[in-house]
């Protein structure tokens, strides 16, 4: 057993921490520059009212321009080096233009509001990033390594595979590993999104960043700190936030051409109003600068990443990892869903489903005798029988003269009586032909796709046990939810025989079954289904389903915590073994799509209204700036809503 009373020795290391917060940079400096800009503008107004010398007023104006325009100028120069134009260039150009016509304070106000808008954008989008970066805080810096009779505290980064780590009650687990001693319940919600603690015993996997609760555990390290499931989740989400969806890529490309168009339009307005309409140069130039500001597509360009980054972060907090905006966008278009059977729709573990007794034996007597004999076997069917007995609290007896006939059954002497458990032919060797009524039950259960184990006691028929990989309790409900959400077809793919597949499909409300498939066959069906119905999602365990996951529009790996193949192959990774994550992922992606188009529509409408106002009501520059930057903040906040709620 794990011992929490061993003496502890502490050792430090110069190895860098897993957490490296970046506190110095534009995110920290730009807010200060915004405040400086505002202060300079306010002081200049006070100075003019109080009659300060013009040199002081001019100096304050220069400070406002320098602080407010610093980051915009830097971004503009970087863009121009790459022979591209961006929104920052338009804003700097407009501010300089305002100063050129004697309206330097309007230009300063423009720079202030534009910089303030950028700060608010960074803050809002940073909220989505921090929702993921907060996972770093779940990773302990130190671990308690058992070395003989002592426990040494060492940096997590120095742990080696195979070392035994002691985790006390209330401590976060520092590494991925396997329990070798002790037992406890572990809160795995940061990794899998499960709301309830999971019981852990010897042989079970545990994950870094999860919280050990009431018991002590000895855990053998199976992954280095940098390779833990938690570290990989963080890496995947960070990479996903950098992968742009098609809509976002289009808007990024659109930004440059649009910027050229806006500059051209502003020049045209200035020249036409000055040369053709007889306006003064100052008025013509000022109107062109207003147009330059209000026509800038800041809100339009930020509308997609604001929504998708928030959605990716929201999904990750629920144990749903989208590996890029492209997959989030594709998920919203799904028309069909294909499920693997074993381990996905079903629990993946055989369980006793039926007990039928004979010759006056009780169910407990039959189950106890069978479990006692099966105690010497590690076959999955044997484990199912033992678990059924344990669930009833049955105390097993001692077995002698144990014998196992591979693929047929087991036998042994229990309480002085020879007990056999296994297939029909194996039992007939000692009990003869089964009675008609028992045989009828046997055939009926086999027709349902179940494995039937017969039992005899010194030649007397005791009865039978039926074992099957049971459907997850929520499977049918989840399939119904997918149908209700507009999914046209839900199919099941299995390598099992058709009889078993049809039985499971009927219980799960599956539309169509494809049975007796090889991995390559599943991939072919994915391609066929996409041609018939449209974009298709494949839900599997990430190993034998890898070809189908790759062939589908969106591959979804289920229950993938710690599974390397699933993490690498799938487009969407469900860290928890929870079917309800699939409808959630679908709803979240569709909600993100709605928010994106809300943002795009709103941004275009604001630009249209402001541009029209330039010519209809002679829109002042400060009002144009407020309208422009206000719309930018609104679309960012609208995207941020995806971090809140369930995705409905």
């Amino acid at each position: 057993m794990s011992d929490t009373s061993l003496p502890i020795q502490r050792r430090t290391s110069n190895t860098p921490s897993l957490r490296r917060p970046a506190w110095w940079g534009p995110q920290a400096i730009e807010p200060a520059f915004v405040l400086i800009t505002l202060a300079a503008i306010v002081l200049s107004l006070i100075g003019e009212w109080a009659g300060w010398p013009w040199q002081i007023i001019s100096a304050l104006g220069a400070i406002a321009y320098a602080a407010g325009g610093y980051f915009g100028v830097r971004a503009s120069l970087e863009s121009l080096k790459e022979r591209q134009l961006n929104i920052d260039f338009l804003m700097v150009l407009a501010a300089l233009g305002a100063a050129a016509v004697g309206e330097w304070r309007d230009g300063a106000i423009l720079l202030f509001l534009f910089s303030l808008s950028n700060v608010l954008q960074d803050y809002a989008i940073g909220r989505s990033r921090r929702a993921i970066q907060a996972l770093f805080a779940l990773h302990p810096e130190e671990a308690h390594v058992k070395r003989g009779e002592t426990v040494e505290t060492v940096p997590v980064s120095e742990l080696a595979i195979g070392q035994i780590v002691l985790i006390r009650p209330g401590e976060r687990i520092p590494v991925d590993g396997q329990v070798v001693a002790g037992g406890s319940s572990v809160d795995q919600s940061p990794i899998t999104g499960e709301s309830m603690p999971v019981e852990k015993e010897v042989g079970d996997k545990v994950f870094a960043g999860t919280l050990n609760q009431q018991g002590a555990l000895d855990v053998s390290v199976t992954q280095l700190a940098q390779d833990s499931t938690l570290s990989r989740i963080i890496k995947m989400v960070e990479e996903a936030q950098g992968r742009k969806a098609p809509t976002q890529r289009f808007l990024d490309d659109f930004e440059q051409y649009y910027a050229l168009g806006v500059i051209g339009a502003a020049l045209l307005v200035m020249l036409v109003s000055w040369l053709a309409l007889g306006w003064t140069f100052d008025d013509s130039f000022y109107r062109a600068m207003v147009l330059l500001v209000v026509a800038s597509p800041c809100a339009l360009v930020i509308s997609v990443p604001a929504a998708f980054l928030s959605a990716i972060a929201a999904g990750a907090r629920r144990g749903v990892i989208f590996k890029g905006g492209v997959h989030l966008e594709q998920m919203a278009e799904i028309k069909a869903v294909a499920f693997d059977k074993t381990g996905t729709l079903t629990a993946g573990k055989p369980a006793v489903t039926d007990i039928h007794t004979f010759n006056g034996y009780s169910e407990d007597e039959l189950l106890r005798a069978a479990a006692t004999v099966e105690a010497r076997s590690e076959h999955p069917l044997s484990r199912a029988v033992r678990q059924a007995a344990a669930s009833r609290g049955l105390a097993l007896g001692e077995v002698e003269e144990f014998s196992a006939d591979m693929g047929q059954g087991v036998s042994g002497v229990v309480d002085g009586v020879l007990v056999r458990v296994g297939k029909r032919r194996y039992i007939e060797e000692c009990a003869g032909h089964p009675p008609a009524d028992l045989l009828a039950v046997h055939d009926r259960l086999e027709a349902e796709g179940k494995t039937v184990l017969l039992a005899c006691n010194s030649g007397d028929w005791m009865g039978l046990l039926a074992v099957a990989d049971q459907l997850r309790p929520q499977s049918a409900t989840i399939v119904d939810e997918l149908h209700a959400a507009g999914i046209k077809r839900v199919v099941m793919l299995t390598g099992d025989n058709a009889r078993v597949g049809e039985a499971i499909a009927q219980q799960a409300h599956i539309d169509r079954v494809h049975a007796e498939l090889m991995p390559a066959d599943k991939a072919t069906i994915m391609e066929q289904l996409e041609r018939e119905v449209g974009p298709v999602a494949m839900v599997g365990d990430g190993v034998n389903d890898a070809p189908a996951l790759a062939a589908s529009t969106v591959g979804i790996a289920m229950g993938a915590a710690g599974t390397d193949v699933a993490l690498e192959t799938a487009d969407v990774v469900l860290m928890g073994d929870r079917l309800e994550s699939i409808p959630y992922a679908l709803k979240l992606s569709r909600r993100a799509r709605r928010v994106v188009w809300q943002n795009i529509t709103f941004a275009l409408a604001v630009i249209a209204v402001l541009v029209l106002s330039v010519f209809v009501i002679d829109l002042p520059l400060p009002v144009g700036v407020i309208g422009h930057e206000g719309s930018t903040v609104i679309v960012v906040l609208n995207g941020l809503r995806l971090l809140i709620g369930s995705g409905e």
Side-chain angles (χ1 to χ4, degrees):
M1 292 197 55
S2 181
D3 188 352
T4 62
S5 63
L6 295 174
I8 294 180
Q9 300 176 357
R10 185 174 300 272
R11 182 161 57 87
T12 60
S13 170
N14 294 322
T15 305
S17 168
L18 289 170
R19 294 174 295 208
R20 296 181 178 180
W23 61 271
W24 187 253
Q27 295 83 1
I29 304 174
E30 192 166 9
F33 278 31
V34 170
L35 293 177
I36 293 172
T37 305
L38 177 62
I41 294 172
V42 172
L43 287 173
S44 71
L45 290 170
I46 295 173
E48 285 190 355
W49 175 78
W52 292 357
W54 68 267
Q55 294 92 339
I56 296 177
I57 304 298
S58 298
L60 290 171
I63 292 172
Y65 265 67
Y70 173 77
F71 287 100
V73 170
R74 192 173 73 172
S76 299
L77 292 175
E78 291 175 353
S79 177
L80 290 173
K81 286 180 182 178
E82 299 176 359
R83 298 181 179 181
Q84 294 181 343
L85 295 178
N86 59 15
I87 305 302
D88 298 88
F89 180 81
L90 296 183
M91 295 299 100
V92 171
L93 190 62
L96 293 175
V101 297
E103 301 288 347
W104 71 266
R105 190 171 285 111
D106 286 350
I109 293 173
L110 168 62
L111 293 174
F112 163 70
L113 291 174
F114 185 65
S115 298
L116 178 62
S117 173
N118 285 337
V119 169
L120 293 176
Q121 290 173 34
D122 290 341
Y123 171 77
I125 294 177
R127 285 281 304 273
S128 68
R129 295 188 186 276
R130 286 193 294 274
I132 303 305
Q133 292 169 348
L135 292 173
F136 277 114
L138 302 176
H139 213 307
E141 296 276 345
E142 297 178 329
H144 310 310
V145 179
K146 297 185 73 171
R147 303 189 189 279
E149 297 300 318
T150 64
V151 175
E152 183 179 359
T153 299
V154 303
V156 171
S157 57
E158 294 188 3
L159 291 176
I161 293 175
Q163 288 184 311
I164 305 300
V165 176
L166 170 65
I167 297 101
R168 292 181 170 84
E171 293 182 341
R172 289 203 177 273
I173 297 172
V175 290
D176 284 9
Q178 187 175 35
V179 178
V180 295
S184 183
S185 57
V186 175
D187 178 5
Q188 297 188 157
S189 56
I191 302 296
T192 65
E194 295 167 282
S195 59
M196 298 297 294
V198 179
E199 297 298 322
K200 299 291 184 180
E201 57 187 22
V202 174
D204 290 338
K205 291 182 179 179
V206 293
F207 306 106
T210 57
L211 180 64
N212 184 32
Q213 295 194 326
Q214 76 275 11
L217 297 172
D218 285 353
V219 173
S220 175
V221 179
T222 59
Q223 295 282 355
L224 299 177
Q226 64 268 26
D227 299 324
S228 70
T229 301
L230 177 60
S231 297
R232 285 183 289 170
I233 291 174
I234 296 169
K235 182 180 178 181
M236 282 192 299
V237 176
E238 289 177 340
E239 290 176 348
Q241 292 179 330
R243 297 190 187 109
K244 299 176 180 180
T247 304
Q248 185 177 347
R249 291 198 299 269
F250 170 78
L251 290 178
D252 288 346
D253 295 336
F254 169 80
E255 177 184 354
Q256 179 174 248
Y257 298 107
Y258 187 87
L260 287 170
V262 170
I263 293 173
L267 287 172
L268 183 64
V269 167
M270 184 185 69
L271 293 174
V272 170
S273 60
W274 180 37
L275 300 176
L277 301 180
W279 292 15
T280 66
F281 176 80
D282 288 351
D283 288 342
S284 299
F285 191 79
Y286 184 87
R287 194 56 46 209
M289 293 303 101
V290 176
L291 178 64
L292 197 66
V293 172
V294 302
S296 299
C298 295
L300 186 62
V301 172
I302 199 66
S303 60
V304 177
F308 280 176
L309 290 178
S310 295
I312 290 171
R317 293 195 307 193
R318 289 278 297 267
V320 179
I321 310 297
F322 289 94
K323 297 171 70 174
V326 59
H327 307 305
L328 181 68
E329 195 167 43
Q330 289 174 331
M331 187 72 183
E333 303 293 334
I334 292 299
K335 303 298 181 185
V337 178
F339 286 94
D340 171 52
K341 179 182 75 69
T342 304
T344 303
L345 287 172
T346 67
K349 298 178 181 179
V352 174
T353 59
D354 301 85
I355 302 176
H356 185 81
T357 61
F358 196 71
N359 283 336
Y361 289 97
S362 68
E363 290 187 357
D364 284 356
E365 288 175 327
L366 169 60
L367 189 56
R368 178 183 179 275
T372 299
V373 177
E374 298 281 15
R376 295 283 189 90
S377 173
E378 290 301 318
H379 193 279
L381 296 181
S382 299
R383 288 196 294 270
V385 174
R386 294 199 302 271
Q387 288 171 358
S391 68
R392 296 193 178 197
L394 301 178
L396 304 186
E398 296 290 331
V399 60
E400 300 175 347
E401 302 178 22
F402 173 80
S403 175
D405 190 343
M406 188 65 67
Q408 296 298 315
V410 295
S411 67
V413 177
V414 180
D415 300 332
V417 179
L418 179 64
V419 175
R420 277 197 175 195
V421 182
K423 294 183 177 180
R424 174 182 170 182
R425 184 175 298 176
Y426 181 71
I427 306 302
E428 285 180 336
E429 293 178 1
C430 75
H433 192 73
D437 54 349
L438 187 63
L439 184 60
V441 176
H442 172 279
D443 294 344
R444 175 177 60 79
L445 293 173
E446 277 199 338
E448 295 175 1
K450 300 176 181 179
T451 300
V452 181
L453 302 176
L454 292 160
C456 70
N457 186 338
S458 294
D460 289 337
W461 289 98
M462 299 182 70
L464 58 80
L465 307 168
V467 180
D469 184 10
Q470 289 187 297
L471 188 73
R472 295 178 187 269
Q474 68 272 39
S475 291
T477 302
I478 298 306
V479 172
D480 290 342
E481 287 184 15
L482 292 174
H483 283 130
I487 298 299
K488 295 180 180 179
R489 189 179 300 174
V490 181
V491 305
M492 185 178 74
L493 311 180
T494 179
D496 227 330
N497 64 71
R499 184 173 59 186
V500 173
E502 290 290 348
I504 294 295
Q506 186 175 2
Q507 299 175 50
H509 304 168
I510 297 291
D511 300 323
R512 189 173 299 178
V513 180
H514 300 272
E516 302 177 18
L517 301 176
M518 298 296 290
D521 300 329
K522 295 183 179 182
T524 302
I525 292 174
M526 287 297 96
E527 296 169 356
Q528 179 184 342
L529 192 59
E530 186 168 7
R531 289 193 300 267
E532 293 177 357
V533 183
V536 57
M538 171 65 193
V539 186
D541 60 18
V543 181
N544 63 329
D545 299 312
L549 291 170
S552 61
T553 311
V554 178
I556 304 174
M558 177 160 172
T563 305
D564 292 333
V565 175
L567 292 173
E568 294 299 324
T569 306
D571 305 311
V572 181
V573 178
L574 309 182
M575 301 307 299
D577 203 21
R578 303 186 304 148
L579 282 173
E580 56 266 32
S581 295
I582 299 168
Y584 167 77
L586 181 64
K587 292 174 183 177
L588 180 63
S589 64
R590 290 177 174 179
R591 188 181 177 208
R593 181 179 61 180
R594 289 197 301 271
V595 170
V596 163
W597 284 108
Q598 288 170 3
N599 284 351
I600 291 174
T601 303
F602 176 75
L604 289 174
V606 170
I607 291 174
V609 170
L610 291 176
V611 169
L612 185 63
S613 299
V614 171
F615 301 101
V616 175
I617 64 172
D618 198 21
L619 186 73
L621 180 59
V623 176
V625 170
I626 292 172
H628 176 268
E629 301 304 329
S631 66
T632 303
V633 173
I634 288 173
V635 299
V636 171
L637 295 178
N638 190 44
L640 204 61
R641 291 191 301 115
L642 292 166
L643 283 171
I644 306 170
S646 63
E648 301 289 343

